[in-house]
Amino acid sequence: MERDQNTLKLKKGLAQMLKGGVIMDVVNPEQARIAEEAGACAVMALERVPSDIRRDGGVARMSDPQMIKGIMEVVTIPVMAKVRIGHFVEAQILQFLGTDYIDESEVLTPADEQYHVDKSKFEVPFVCGARNLGEALRRIAEGAAMIRTKGEAGTGNVVEAVRHMRTMTEEIAALKEMNENQLADYAKEQRVALELVKEVKELERLPVVNFAAGGIATPADAALMMQLGCDGVFVGSGIFKSSDPAGRAKAIVEATMHYNDPAILAKVSEGLGEAMQSLEIKDLENKFADRGW
Amino acid sequence: MKIGVLDIQGSVDEHIISLKKLGVHVVRVKKPEDLEGLKGLIIPGGESTTIGKLLKRFGLGEEIAKKVQDGMAIWGTCAGAILLANQVIGGEVDGLNLIDAKVQRNAYGRQIDSFETKIEFANTKIPAVFIRAPKILNVGDGVEILSKLDGEIVAAKKDKIVISTFHPELTDSTVFHQWFLELCEQ
């Protein structure tokens, strides 16, 4: 029987298998094992977590392939890795390595100020950040098979992720009230195909899985994003920059599963020690979320 | 008839949509008490490592096994199949050990090796989506093979315990779900 590979259904499908789960940033095989043991549904392999990138400054790039391979060897869950916005060669390298998902990420320093990666040309699926519906649709039109909020990575401050998710929800709801002409105007204004806008109106959600990301530091943050309608959660610096990574990782996984159950949320939030060192958004020199368009 | 979908992680909504098309009452199962009165339970696709750990942590696994002993039907798709098998190759899983089958995880490779095709099931051709799928290498005595793809087992059952390595819930076809509901009613 004939087999079709790398179809959009398969790309979107892997993200569907991650729903309800937590994807954790890890910088070495040991952390990857801790994440898997805690119940992560995937890991994001990178050299420095966002809070360190923020602290160190300079240009942040794709991680060393050796480090990514090392992580792929020790876990059975999917392994994701990040490329700079527009850096299609970094993406070619990650695809060659067999990375399961590529994050074209604003956390790294953008490589192209005009174009994002043409993701439809790749066999491997991509996830991209979005602050609003228009941004999400432009990424989907380029071939992204999964979306996440941008939030403000490396801050331990969930406020931007909340803003992005609420904006997305409000903009999707607003489509319901639009007539044919208004939908066409909206599609034009957002530079996306009308069919895509109509699909979102029909589905009353994005046509791909939509995760929360950027600033999630506690089990309650994860549950908040789930209650706001996210399909799952990325946690970056929030775990391995806290005082008890294994305990916090496990608690965030449990909170994501039982996001509607305050009794369980209260229990898993107990005795986790210090959260990561966190930042006020207004004091930031660099807003990662403003990268990309 | 009340059917549950294990709601830890994975393609939960997709199974619920398929079941609702067939007009059954669907329950999300997150806690042992959610299992009450179920004729059948589906363990969806997802990450078997994750689902297995949470099944154990919240004491759900044992309760599910008890209900299956009392006659509740159960069907595991992909990750679900790994969790139902008594022998797993390629990494340890906190499984339920309910069917005599040897299953190899991520047996086709990584995500770029995922594929979709059509398979023969219950005398019908149905679309089948394989995502980082496992393989059923062999099954024990009394386990009935339900479908094969190019000579390899992709679905099997013993009594009311069913495993499939692909995702009927990601397609518009409800043939497999309909077949499972009939098994639940028996």
Side-chain angles (χ1 to χ4, degrees), chain B residues 148-163:
Chain B
K148 280 187 172 185
L149 172 66
D150 298 333
E152 292 173 322
I153 309 166
V154 293
K157 86 166 179 92
K158 169 123 198 245
D159 304 324
K160 287 188 172 183
I161 303 162
V162 185
I163 53 177

Side-chain angles (χ1 to χ4, degrees), chain B residues 114-171:
Chain B
S114 293
F115 62 95
E116 39 182 324
T117 185
K118 287 211 159 90
I119 59 155
E120 198 62 45
F121 176 81
N123 301 315
T124 325
K125 272 220 160 41
I126 60 166
V129 181
F130 293 78
I131 295 177
R132 286 171 43 95
K135 279 185 184 177
I136 302 169
L137 300 180
N138 56 55
V139 294
D141 288 343
V143 178
E144 185 189 337
I145 293 166
L146 300 171
S147 180
K148 280 187 172 185
L149 172 66
D150 298 333
E152 292 173 322
I153 309 166
V154 293
K157 86 166 179 92
K158 169 123 198 245
D159 304 324
K160 287 188 172 183
I161 303 162
V162 185
I163 53 177
S164 70
T165 59
F166 52 95
H167 299 282
E169 78 277 15
L170 292 189
T171 70

Side-chain angles (χ1 to χ4, degrees), chain A residues 66-130:
Chain A
Q66 196 176 17
M67 172 261 175
I68 296 169
K69 284 197 289 191
I71 288 172
M72 281 167 46
E73 272 167 29
V74 299
V75 293
T76 59
I77 53 179
V79 176
M80 301 183 166
K82 288 184 194 290
V83 299
R84 287 179 265 178
I85 289 173
H87 207 313
F88 51 87
V89 173
E90 286 184 347
Q92 290 164 5
I93 293 170
L94 290 186
Q95 173 167 288
F96 175 80
L97 293 177
T99 312
D100 295 297
Y101 238 95
I102 294 178
D103 184 3
E104 186 183 22
S105 177
E106 69 283 358
V107 170
L108 305 185
T109 312
D112 192 321
E113 291 185 329
Q114 198 174 359
Y115 296 106
H116 281 248
V117 172
D118 180 358
K119 294 165 276 286
S120 61
K121 289 222 174 77
F122 283 81
E123 293 169 359
V124 62
F126 279 75
V127 53
C128 287

Side-chain angles (χ1 to χ4, degrees), chain A residues 2 7 9 17 257 261, chain B residues 9 30-31 116-117 170:
Chain A
E2 205 172 294
T7 60
K9 189 189 241 339
M17 297 308 143
M257 174 185 169
D261 189 329
Chain B
Q9 187 269 313
K30 277 189 191 280
K31 292 180 167 179
E116 39 182 324
T117 185
L170 292 189

Side-chain angles (χ1 to χ4, degrees), chain B residues 3 15-16 29 31 52 66 69 72 99 102 105 114-115 121 132-133 146 153-154 164 168 174-176 182 186:
Chain B
I3 303 291
H15 272 296
I16 291 175
V29 175
K31 292 180 167 179
K66 269 188 218 157
Q69 260 172 3
M72 181 182 75
I99 187 167
K102 191 196 242 182
R105 306 171 73 190
S114 293
F115 62 95
F121 176 81
R132 286 171 43 95
L146 300 171
I153 309 166
V154 293
S164 70
T174 51
V175 169
F176 209 127
E182 283 161 24
Q186 277 175 25

Side-chain angles (χ1 to χ4, degrees), chain B residues 11-83:
Chain B
S11 55
V12 180
D13 300 328
E14 290 77 0
H15 272 296
I16 291 175
I17 290 166
S18 298
L19 289 169
K20 283 193 171 159
K21 278 187 198 162
L22 299 170
V24 287
H25 179 195
V26 192
V27 180
R28 289 174 179 268
V29 175
K30 277 189 191 280
K31 292 180 167 179
E33 54 263 38
D34 300 328
L35 293 165
E36 282 315 312
L38 295 184
K39 282 286 208 180
L41 175 70
I42 295 177
I43 304 187
E47 285 308 315
S48 52
T49 314
T50 308
I51 299 174
K53 285 185 189 302
L54 289 157
L55 271 176
K56 198 173 169 188
R57 242 180 254 169
F58 290 100
L60 253 173
E62 282 169 34
E63 294 303 317
I64 290 171
K66 269 188 218 157
K67 291 282 176 194
V68 172
Q69 260 172 3
D70 294 344
M72 181 182 75
I74 191 162
W75 169 26
T77 59
C78 193
I82 296 169
L83 291 161

Side-chain angles (χ1 to χ4, degrees), chain A residues 202-261:
Chain A
E202 178 85 10
L203 294 170
E204 296 179 28
R205 60 157 293 148
L206 291 181
V208 301
V209 165
N210 183 19
F211 268 48
I216 291 142
T218 68
D221 288 348
L224 172 68
M225 296 311 297
M226 293 300 286
Q227 286 197 25
L228 287 174
C230 289
D231 293 316
V233 177
F234 282 90
V235 187
S237 325
I239 289 170
F240 289 99
K241 287 289 171 187
S242 73
S243 63
D244 173 15
R248 186 167 292 262
K250 193 166 158 265
I252 291 178
V253 168
E254 291 169 6
T256 303
M257 174 185 169
H258 290 289
Y259 66 91
N260 260 331
D261 189 329

